[in-house]
């Protein structure tokens, strides 16, 4: 595919970087350049913040219905252009086309849901402490929101922030990941087409550290919403302290996936495959530690390995491909290091276990879908986020033991368990220290439900009314009559 030059969107204008420089966007399946993006820095970020701040009062003053109408246009257009947007996602992020199409629909639903939900933002009256007093509680948009997003869901991670922020009456400046700016640009063309006033939604690409510093240091930015690694999340949290800037952090995870001996094994195997191997294991909520109860361990492992062996690795644009490439060389090196470390320490590789270095796949960053057994807590894979297509299997004896192991991590994003015992379902669900729990369900993330983590997996929630509330300040008005 011929490469194309794309631009940033600031104050209603498509713009080059001030330096005139660009960076290249690669297809992780082939190593080909699929486009370029402007190498922006703090100065473009500052211009975008000024524009967003200027646009804020008029945008906030519109009725929720007026804001919703613009957003609904964007949501419906995303649905109508599903194939086109999905192709772009596959080209720059690598996930199979069917997954990319599902992401576009998921991303569009954040837009339509938030547009509708913001119409229901209301205040309260509270009984006062004196007969001549009245207390009103107002909910008002925070102001300019800066959003920083990762590459693994190039569309959904943007709409999950931008849609509720705009619907609530905030204005936004978005910095997408350097690997996936093209999908972001395509989304911003839809914001432009929807007729959003200049400055309401801005897109800046380029140097993450410089742009991030401007977001942190500029007092006109009232909130930063970040999705990405826990490491960068902590940097932002430290930086935000100076201005006590509002933060929403959607960070890393290390999800336990527990299969009890009373579970429907076929359902658990299929659930694990869908949860673990989606986007080649590069999702924050994918299973990282698979705990299988001893009596069913061997049967479960054999069923799983047989199905995983049948998964087709390849370029996501080709029909029938289940697993695409990893995003880049660093990702491939990390996954390989985790598998090698586990095998060196005694893990057994039931299938996969190698990067593909020959033929067409050798041009991309492909790692075979892998199942490891005999995994223990001493291995890197047991504590670090692998972000790759590797399912490590641990065995356990009792419910008490597995709950202690599942919770023994600094992460707390998603957890899954499979059981047919109703009492156990409630006990386990209540004791898992995670923000998202799938009970016999591998796909708990939907636009209307809260998404976010306990512990070092983050702060705040996205999705549904919880997502809209993140962009509202609460004002107590006390009136003496
Ligand atoms: P990352 O390295 O933290 O990058 C995420 C974003 O932060 C990118 O836009 C990146 O820009 C930017 N960034 C990097 N350094 C920065 C800095 N010093 N200041 C400001 N911005 C900075 O994460 P990633 O590797 O792309 O994404 C994978 C991680 O995201 C995993 O840990 C995954 O679990 C997590 N994740 C979490 C969720 C969730 O909802 N909890 C969802 C998806 C992913 P550049 O790309 O330009 O460097």
């Amino acid at each position: 595919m011929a490469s194309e030059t794309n631009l940033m969107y600031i104050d209603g204008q498509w713009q080059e970087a001030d330096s005139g420089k660009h960076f290249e966007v690669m297809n992780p399946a082939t190593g080909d350049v699929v486009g370029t993006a402007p190498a922006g820095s703090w100065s473009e970020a500052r211009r975008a913040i000024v524009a967003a701040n200027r646009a804020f009062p008029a945008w906030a003053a519109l009725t929720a219905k007026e804001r919703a109408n613009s957003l609904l246009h964007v949501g419906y257009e995303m649905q109508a252009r599903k194939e086109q947007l999905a192709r772009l996602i596959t080209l720059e992020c690598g996930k199979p086309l069917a997954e990319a199409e599902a992401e576009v629909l998921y991303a569009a639903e954040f837009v339509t849901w938030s547009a509708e939900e913001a119409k229901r933002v209301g205040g309260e009256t509270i009984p006062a402490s004196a007969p001549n007093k009245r207390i009103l509680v107002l909910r008002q948009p925070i102001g300019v929101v800066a959003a920083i997003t990762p590459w693994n869901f190039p569309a959904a991670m943007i709409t999950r922030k931008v849609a509720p922020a705009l619907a609530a009456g905030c204005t936004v400046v978005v910095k997408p990941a350097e690997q996936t700016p093209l999908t972001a640009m395509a989304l911003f063309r839809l914001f432009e087409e929807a007729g959003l006033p200049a400055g309401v939604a801005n897109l800046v690409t380029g140097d993450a550290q410089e742009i991030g510093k401007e977001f942190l240091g500029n007092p006109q930015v009232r909130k930063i919403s970040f999705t990405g690694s826990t490491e960068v999340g902590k940097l932002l949290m430290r930086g935000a302290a100076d201005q006590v800037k509002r933060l929403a952090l959607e960070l890393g995870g290390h999800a336990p996936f527990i299969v009890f001996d009373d579970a429907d094994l076929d359902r658990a195997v299929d659930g694990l495959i869908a949860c673990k191997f989606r986007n080649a294991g590069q999702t924050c909520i994918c299973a990282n530690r698979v705990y299988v109860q001893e009596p069913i361990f061997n049967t479960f492992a054999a069923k799983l390995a047989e199905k995983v062996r049948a998964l087709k690795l390849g370029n996501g644009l080709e029909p029938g491909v289940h697993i695409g490439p990893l995003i880049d060389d660093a990702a491939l090196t990390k996954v390989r290091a985790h598998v090698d470390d586990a095998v060196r320490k005694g893990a057994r590789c039931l299938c996969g276990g190698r990067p593909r270095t020959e033929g067409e796949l050798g041009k991309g960053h492909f790692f075979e879908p892998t199942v490891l057994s005999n995994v223990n807590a001493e291995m890197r894979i047991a504590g670090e986020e692998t972000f790759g297509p590797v399912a490590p299997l641990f065995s356990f004896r009792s419910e008490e033991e597995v709950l202690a192991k599942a919770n023994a991590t600094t992460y707390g994003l998603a957890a899954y368990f499979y059981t047919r015992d109703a009492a156990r379902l409630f006990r386990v669900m209540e004791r898992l220290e995670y923000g998202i729990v799938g009970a016999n369900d591998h796909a708990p993330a939907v636009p209307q439900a809260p998404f976010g983590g306990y512990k070092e997996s983050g702060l705040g929630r996205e999705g549904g009314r919880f997502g809209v509330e993140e962009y509202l300040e609460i004002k107590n008005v006390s009136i003496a009559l």
Side-chain angles (χ1 to χ4, degrees), residues 169-189:
C170 297
T171 54
V172 298
V173 181
V174 177
K175 204 243 32 102
E178 63 175 334
Q179 294 94 337
T180 56
L182 306 181
T183 306
M185 291 165 183
L187 291 181
F188 272 74
R189 275 181 220 117

Side-chain angles (χ1 to χ4, degrees), residues 413-435:
L413 189 57
Y416 307 84
F417 66 99
Y418 281 68
T419 181
R420 280 185 285 203
D421 177 331
R424 168 175 276 160
L425 190 146
F426 277 85
R427 281 195 306 271
V428 173
M429 171 262 282
E430 284 164 7
R431 288 186 57 194
L432 284 167
E433 296 167 358
Y434 288 84

Side-chain angles (χ1 to χ4, degrees), residues 148-153 157 160 175-179 206 208-209 212 226-230 232 235-236 250-253 283-284 385 387 413 451 457:
I148 304 176
T149 55
W151 47 265
N152 62 345
F153 288 88
M157 295 304 99
R160 205 162 77 172
K175 204 243 32 102
E178 63 175 334
Q179 294 94 337
Q209 284 194 22
F226 170 77
T227 296
S229 60
T230 295
V232 174
L235 281 177
L236 294 173
E250 295 287 350
L251 307 177
T283 76
C284 52
E385 211 179 4
F387 241 52
L413 189 57
F451 190 106
S457 285

Side-chain angles (χ1 to χ4, degrees), residues 309 311-314 332 336 352-369:
R309 258 181 235 117
L311 295 176
K312 187 175 171 199
L313 191 64
L332 195 64
R336 187 179 196 164
R354 291 184 318 121
R356 284 288 174 83
T357 50
E358 304 98 31
E360 276 303 298
L361 296 192
K363 296 179 188 160
H365 313 292
F366 289 93
F367 197 92
E368 294 171 346

Side-chain angles (χ1 to χ4, degrees), residues 381-429:
I381 205 163
E384 295 174 31
E385 211 179 4
T386 304
F387 241 52
V390 184
L393 307 186
F394 304 71
S395 67
F396 71 94
R397 291 207 173 104
S398 69
E399 186 180 308
E400 204 56 36
E401 174 199 347
V402 79
L403 277 167
K405 287 181 170 165
N407 287 334
T409 166
T410 53
Y411 292 112
L413 189 57
Y416 307 84
F417 66 99
Y418 281 68
T419 181
R420 280 185 285 203
D421 177 331
R424 168 175 276 160
L425 190 146
F426 277 85
R427 281 195 306 271
V428 173
M429 171 262 282

